[in-house]
Amino acid sequence: MSLLKMKKQISSTQKALNVWALILIVWSFYRIQFAFPDWFDEFIAKPILFIGPVVWYILKVEKKPFFSSIWLDKRKILKDVYYAIIVGLLFFIVSLISTFIKTRTLPFFIPADLTLFISFIPIMLVTAISEEIVSRGLVLRTLYMESKNTLSSTFIASILFFILHIPILFTNLKLSGHILILFMITNLILSFANSLIYIGRRSIVLPILIHALFNLTLFLTI
């Protein structure tokens, strides 16, 4: 069998997963070898290593426009923001309840270092954009478009989303014990929910906003 025929037999899912694997390998190497500040990792390194390959793949391999391919629909942005606010309030209420159960008090969630919290907001938004473009805009979209199976696509995409976070789990000294376990569980739940929302809504904006708000809630709670 010729090399040309072999290339023709490679499915779109295989191609997308090859890009995902490349991102994982490079990201893992970066996390192990370098120890730059969080802002550098999230604002510079992650967008380059995560979004860059996806943009290249969609434009050069799929030969499609980038934004419409990842399901960025401008007509749905306002509604997505509205839905995200509702979800954010739900996150906040759940955090209040969980904190009350543990401490028997109802704090107002005012961070001790307000400047740190404010600086954390854009970091979480950029982080969510990078991770959702890879996990939903590339992996889940490709899996779903080829299989047309919501559950299997969601399950596989969620596992791959979790694996993509392994370099962070093992290189971030702040995550240990019950916090590490909590992060792993919530990571899978978040991915599964966002995958269902992405397919049902056909929009990447809402998963990005939910992802960012979820991380902010963890920041306040933990």
Side-chain angles (χ1 to χ4, degrees), residues 156-174:
I156 295 172
S158 297
I159 296 299
L160 295 181
F161 178 81
F162 174 79
I163 293 174
L164 197 62
H165 284 75
I166 289 179
I168 298 177
L169 294 177
F170 288 97
T171 58
N172 192 332
L173 298 178
K174 297 176 183 178

Side-chain angles (χ1 to χ4, degrees), residues 149-162:
N149 189 311
T150 300
L151 289 180
S152 65
S153 300
T154 296
F155 177 77
I156 295 172
S158 297
I159 296 299
L160 295 181
F161 178 81
F162 174 79

